[in-house]
Amino acid sequence: MVQILTAAVSLGLLWAIITTGVYITYRILAIADLTVEGSVVTGAAIAAITITRGGNPYLAILLAFLGGVGAGLITGLLHTKLKIPSLLSGILTMIALYSINLRIMGRANISLLQVDTVYTFFEKMGLSQTISVIVLGIIFVGGLVGILYWFFGTEIGCAIRATGNNPQMVRAQGINTNSTIIIGLMISNGLVAVGGSLIAQSQRFADIQMGIGSIVIGLASVIIGEVLFGRRHFASRLLSLAFGAIIYRVIIAMVLKLGMPANDLKLFTAITVAIALSLPVLRSYLKPIKNSMKWGK
């Protein structure tokens, strides 16, 4: 059981980076960006091909980030310059990235079993692979929370946050909302690609199909984090994303332990997200029933 929990925590920390990227578009910009399902693979593909050709694993993460930034830039230009709806822009980029990722990898999957990764340093110190992932995951997530908390407190960061809340007011202040949307999408997909690169190095392979369902997993983690840890202030929101991703992975591990077929995981995740998103509506339905029962007494 301990091994199952530690494995879930290690994977949850890596997915927390992807969840943060999803949060930026879904909550801050109020955009459902499906580019994520392609940029996850882009990050993994760039990292895998860089490492297998003798590149530094940390350089591979940087290149993966730049690849994700490029994907976000394409989606942003399609949406803001060509006036294509944000959802469709993400879908178009996601479809294009499938072919681009195959071009990068050269084949459907790449093995990383015989090469050094970012976790190798910790493994050489005597740590197990799972603990190495946890240690590095904490470092990355902690650094990411600090950087984002600082960035979204700057002038451009506040403009991005305001764009999602009230774009008309932002435009009235003379701020170009097209630019803030593009920057937000670039940062989001850059982080998603970093998460993809770390996951690929953790599981020791990159696969063209590994991004399927990632947007739903990211949303599930965001919702779980918000429901359990609240949304008091921005710092707590960022931290709740990490806890939400970890708890989601622990839930998945427990469900598998109880005997749920692995093929049903996507269905389970979709149902979980649907229930979480519909909680306000469900509460409005239950409130009259609760009041009637109260008055009945």
Side-chain angles (χ1 to χ4, degrees):
M1 180 62 71
V2 175
Q3 291 180 342
I4 294 175
L5 290 176
T6 53
V9 170
S10 65
L11 189 57
L13 283 168
L14 301 186
W15 272 95
I17 301 172
I18 297 175
T19 299
T20 304
V22 172
Y23 174 81
I24 291 174
T25 52
Y26 179 66
R27 283 299 191 208
I28 294 181
L29 289 178
I31 292 175
D33 181 27
L34 289 181
T35 313
V36 169
E37 304 221 352
S39 54
V40 169
V41 185
T42 300
I46 292 175
I49 202 69
T50 301
I51 293 172
T52 53
R53 293 185 177 180
N56 186 286
Y58 291 96
L59 174 62
I61 295 175
L62 176 60
L63 294 176
F65 174 76
L66 296 177
V69 166
L73 174 62
I74 294 171
T75 300
L77 292 175
L78 289 175
H79 175 51
T80 59
K81 302 302 182 182
L82 301 182
K83 306 304 179 183
I84 299 174
S86 58
L87 183 62
L88 185 54
S89 296
I91 292 174
L92 291 174
T93 307
M94 177 187 67
I95 293 172
L97 283 176
Y98 186 89
S99 297
I100 293 172
N101 293 335
L102 275 176
R103 289 275 186 176
I104 295 171
M105 297 170 66
R107 51 188 183 276
N109 55 72
I110 297 177
S111 173
L112 298 174
L113 289 175
Q114 305 299 324
V115 296
D116 289 344
T117 66
V118 289
Y119 311 106
T120 302
F121 171 78
F122 298 97
E123 292 171 359
K124 288 180 178 178
M125 294 174 60
L127 300 178
S128 66
Q129 181 181 359
T130 301
I131 299 302
S132 299
V133 174
I134 291 176
V135 171
L136 196 64
I138 291 173
I139 293 173
F140 266 85
V141 171
L144 178 61
V145 169
I147 291 172
L148 289 180
Y149 183 74
W150 165 81
F151 174 76
F152 283 106
T154 62
E155 184 176 350
I156 182 64
C158 290
I160 293 173
R161 294 171 66 181
T163 298
N165 289 329
N166 194 333
Q168 290 81 12
M169 182 198 71
V170 173
R171 284 192 288 268
Q173 298 296 321
I175 299 173
N176 188 335
T177 54
N178 287 345
S179 298
T180 55
I181 290 173
I182 291 174
I183 294 172
L185 286 168
M186 290 168 65
I187 296 173
S188 170
N189 284 280
L191 295 178
V192 169
V194 168
S197 69
L198 289 172
I199 290 173
Q201 294 182 63
S202 171
Q203 64 189 14
R204 295 285 184 168
F205 71 90
D207 188 88
I208 194 65
Q209 301 291 343
M210 63 183 291
I212 295 177
S214 55
I215 183 65
V216 179
I217 296 172
L219 287 174
S221 301
V222 169
I223 300 300
I224 290 172
E226 289 179 344
V227 169
L228 295 182
F229 301 100
R231 294 182 287 179
R232 291 180 294 276
H233 47 80
F234 191 65
S236 67
R237 293 183 185 185
L238 292 175
L239 288 173
S240 74
L241 301 176
F243 290 121
I246 292 171
I247 291 173
Y248 170 78
R249 282 298 162 183
V250 171
I251 292 172
I252 292 298
M254 293 297 100
V255 168
L256 289 174
K257 182 70 174 177
L258 293 174
M260 173 179 280
N263 291 336
D264 294 338
L265 282 181
K266 297 294 190 227
L267 175 61
F268 176 79
T269 301
I271 294 173
T272 301
V273 174
I275 293 174
L277 291 174
S278 60
L279 278 177
V281 177
L282 294 176
R283 286 173 182 168
S284 67
Y285 289 150
L286 293 174
K287 189 174 181 180
I289 299 175
K290 183 179 180 180
N291 291 336
S292 64
M293 293 176 64
K294 180 178 179 181
W295 285 108
K297 293 180 179 181

